[in-house]
Amino acid sequence: MNISQQLGKLKRGIFRIKKIPRFFILLIATIATIQFLILPALTQQPVTVQVLMSALEAAQWQEFVDEFEEQNPNINLEILEGPNETNLVEDLYTSAFLLGDSPYDLVYLDIVWVPKFAAAGWLMPLSDRVSQDQLSKFMQGDVEGGRYNGELYRMPLRSDGGMLYYRTDLLKQGGYEPPETFAELMQISQALQQQTGVEWGYLWQGKQYEGLSAMFVEILEGFGAFWVNPDTLEVGLDQPEAIQAVEFLLNTIEKEVSPPGVTTYAEEETRRLFQNGEAIFLRNWPYVYPLAADSEIAGQFAIKPMVHQPADSSGACQGGWGLGISQSTQHPDEAWKVIEFFNRPDVQKRFSLATGYAPALKSLYTDSELVAKYSYFPQMLEVLEKAVLRPPIAQYAQASDILQRYLSAAITQTMTPEKAMNRAAQETRRLLGD
Ligand code: GLC
């Protein structure tokens, strides 16, 4: 073999060696594409997003969960059922976050939990995900209630505000207009209890829990009093007007306008009594309306803003619920997709039509279909726009706990209203670092 033949053989050899890697490269690329791109896409497990809600609301949202999953086949949305009382749900979230490794990707938050959860670092900031323009479509109080230190941590899903329910048939029978003041509420109650034989005049939430603080905020406002000024941290619980507010509640029990058991009732106990025709007036949230409209008293009740002192104005406690994203979730984008879906105007509208909850989107209060079903929606909008916040401070849970304990002591007559409110004010001042 001469040199040129030898060179030729070498070239062919090199060529063959070169050819093998090309083939391999192709083969490896094909296998990699199948293994890393096609197979995972074909066999991909949907991501599960979990949230905890009261059992009552979990059932109400379920129909929308099915719809969401149909439209988002890669996301599995699981609503875990919790207790119906807000404090108990809060305790479950709190212990999950304190223990670490929380199973919740989304947090369904009562408006009063936002400062605490945000300050503890349990929620992701949301302002990068939503524009000011989008936010301006929601009720202002509900958006503001989702902020802490200027950052947004919660998107509103539904608003809430306390209202006075009254029996139109009984008031008509006695020839009364709906009451405007605390005194009228007492007087009409006592007269109608006598005339009609209906057992109770006025039902309210007196159990030692968050509902007691929410209800009391309205009585305070009606007496021209206040709890904590969030800007100055001034505490108003021992002022004479605040003590009068407690005396009013105690008086309803002493005069047998309210049942003695009212000191153990949450929302649901009072709703059931009212629906069964056992009371003339009820303080409660809008969720009661469609349920009562389907009960024994159907067509015989209406709602109006809460009563007040002649010189003061009516107050509705700002309530409401919304979704935040848990700081520990592995799936923040999927969680945000859930929020976007629940906030969609058509979903909000159908949810409100079905449940009577006060919508988070402003435009729905004047939506013709909603107004045809709930004629009081435009009036409710006015009430909610002036709703009174419970103090939006990071120590809210402790402040509310103090108030609940002393209010409960006063209405169960283990302490005078004056002593109870003095103590409550002192403890609250200590809490706020006075
Ligand atoms: C309602 C309100 C909530 C409040 C709770 C008290 O759920 O929306 O804000 O804390 O009642 O029971």
Side-chain angles (χ1 to χ4, degrees):
M1 221 186 281
N2 62 26
I3 292 225
S4 76
Q5 279 173 324
Q6 277 182 7
L7 270 177
K9 196 175 168 197
L10 194 65
K11 261 193 197 162
R12 279 197 301 278
I14 291 170
F15 190 57
R16 266 203 301 274
I17 292 167
K18 266 190 177 167
K19 231 181 173 171
I20 294 165
R22 269 198 194 169
F23 167 73
F24 264 123
I25 288 166
L26 247 169
L27 187 67
I28 288 166
T30 314
I31 292 172
T33 315
I34 293 173
Q35 186 169 347
F36 296 113
L37 294 176
I38 300 176
L39 272 181
L42 288 176
T43 58
Q44 199 176 39
Q45 292 296 316
V47 161
T48 298
V49 170
Q50 289 195 324
V51 61
L52 173 73
M53 282 185 191
S54 73
L56 186 77
E57 272 195 70
Q60 290 166 325
W61 279 112
Q62 195 52 48
E63 143 192 11
F64 297 94
V65 171
D66 299 340
E67 188 179 327
F68 172 81
E69 287 182 339
E70 250 165 56
Q71 291 171 19
N72 295 273
N74 60 332
I75 308 175
N76 199 348
L77 175 59
E78 259 179 45
I79 302 190
L80 307 172
E81 291 184 12
N84 282 337
E85 273 171 34
T86 174
N87 308 70
L88 302 179
V89 185
E90 183 185 9
D91 289 348
L92 290 176
Y93 273 119
T94 301
S95 39
F97 287 124
L98 286 177
L99 289 171
D101 201 24
S102 134
Y104 311 119
D105 304 277
L106 282 163
V107 188
Y108 192 50
L109 295 136
D110 188 342
I111 195 163
V112 284
W113 311 345
V114 175
K116 166 177 149 183
F117 280 44
W122 297 336
L123 300 173
M124 276 189 192
L126 300 179
S127 38
D128 285 351
R129 296 184 185 264
V130 56
S131 70
Q132 276 311 315
D133 187 44
Q134 280 168 295
L135 284 178
S136 68
K137 301 196 165 74
F138 291 91
M139 299 286 288
Q140 203 191 345
D142 293 85
V143 174
E144 292 314 317
R147 290 191 205 278
Y148 181 68
N149 276 349
E151 177 55 71
L152 184 74
Y153 291 96
R154 183 196 84 141
M155 284 295 287
L157 277 209
R158 64 179 185 86
S159 190
D160 225 352
M163 319 262 154
L164 184 69
Y165 287 74
Y166 62 95
R167 287 282 301 275
T168 45
D169 56 337
L170 301 178
L171 261 68
K172 199 165 162 207
Q173 197 179 321
Y176 292 106
E177 288 298 313
E180 286 303 321
T181 63
F182 291 110
E184 285 168 9
L185 176 81
M186 290 296 280
Q187 187 206 333
I188 300 174
S189 291
Q190 287 176 306
L192 288 181
Q193 278 172 281
Q194 288 251 321
Q195 278 174 38
T196 64
V198 168
E199 197 155 8
W200 303 113
Y202 180 42
L203 300 172
W204 44 279
Q205 294 79 44
K207 180 176 173 169
Q208 191 181 327
Y209 79 122
E210 182 54 31
L212 178 61
S213 298
M215 176 281 306
F216 188 58
V217 154
E218 294 162 3
I219 311 292
L220 278 178
E221 184 75 8
F223 274 91
F226 70 100
W227 180 356
V228 176
N229 176 330
D231 301 321
T232 60
L233 296 188
E234 188 192 350
V235 178
L237 293 177
D238 49 359
Q239 292 186 355
E241 296 82 4
I243 296 168
Q244 280 172 34
V246 183
E247 278 162 356
F248 162 74
L249 289 176
L250 185 56
N251 208 15
T252 66
I253 303 173
E254 285 175 346
K255 297 259 166 68
E256 294 181 3
V257 162
S258 304
V262 84
T263 56
T264 62
Y265 294 164
E267 284 90 354
E268 281 294 85
E269 288 83 5
T270 57
R271 172 179 74 84
R272 283 192 211 104
L273 275 178
F274 186 68
Q275 267 185 214
N276 292 342
E278 291 177 50
I280 302 149
F281 298 106
L282 162 75
R283 181 271 167 209
N284 216 319
W285 309 96
Y287 86 97
V288 167
Y289 198 97
L291 300 174
D294 197 23
S295 78
E296 237 175 76
I297 59 160
Q300 291 170 343
F301 72 94
I303 57 172
K304 69 173 294 296
M306 189 50 58
V307 288
H308 50 88
Q309 285 286 69
D312 295 297
S313 51
S314 166
C317 172
Q318 168 83 61
W321 293 76
L323 283 171
I325 301 181
S326 147
Q327 186 64 262
S328 56
T329 180
Q330 303 293 311
H331 313 296
D333 294 337
E334 286 82 359
W336 178 250
K337 279 227 151 81
V338 175
I339 297 183
E340 278 182 322
F341 174 84
F342 281 3
N343 273 161
R344 249 169 47 186
D346 65 307
V347 172
Q348 286 266 310
K349 177 169 167 176
R350 281 181 284 140
F351 184 61
S352 229
L353 268 174
T355 60
Y357 283 133
L361 282 173
K362 263 187 277 183
S363 60
L364 295 181
Y365 288 84
T366 45
D367 175 276
S368 56
E369 246 179 288
L370 274 161
V371 175
K373 187 159 180 196
Y374 306 119
S375 57
Y376 56 89
F377 262 38
Q379 190 202 1
M380 188 160 78
L381 175 65
E382 283 174 35
V383 174
L384 293 180
E385 279 181 332
K386 287 186 294 186
V388 191
L389 281 176
R390 284 159 280 176
I393 49 174
Q395 309 93 320
Y396 177 77
Q398 293 103 299
S400 180
D401 187 63
I402 295 171
L403 179 61
Q404 291 162 34
R405 270 191 284 118
Y406 287 106
L407 264 183
S408 182
I411 61 179
T412 54
Q413 305 186 33
T414 49
M415 224 181 251
T416 64
E418 193 176 352
K419 189 166 176 191
M421 287 299 100
N422 281 333
R423 293 260 184 99
Q426 265 171 29
E427 265 190 47
T428 311
R429 290 195 184 105
R430 223 174 298 137
L431 168 76
L432 302 179
D434 220 25

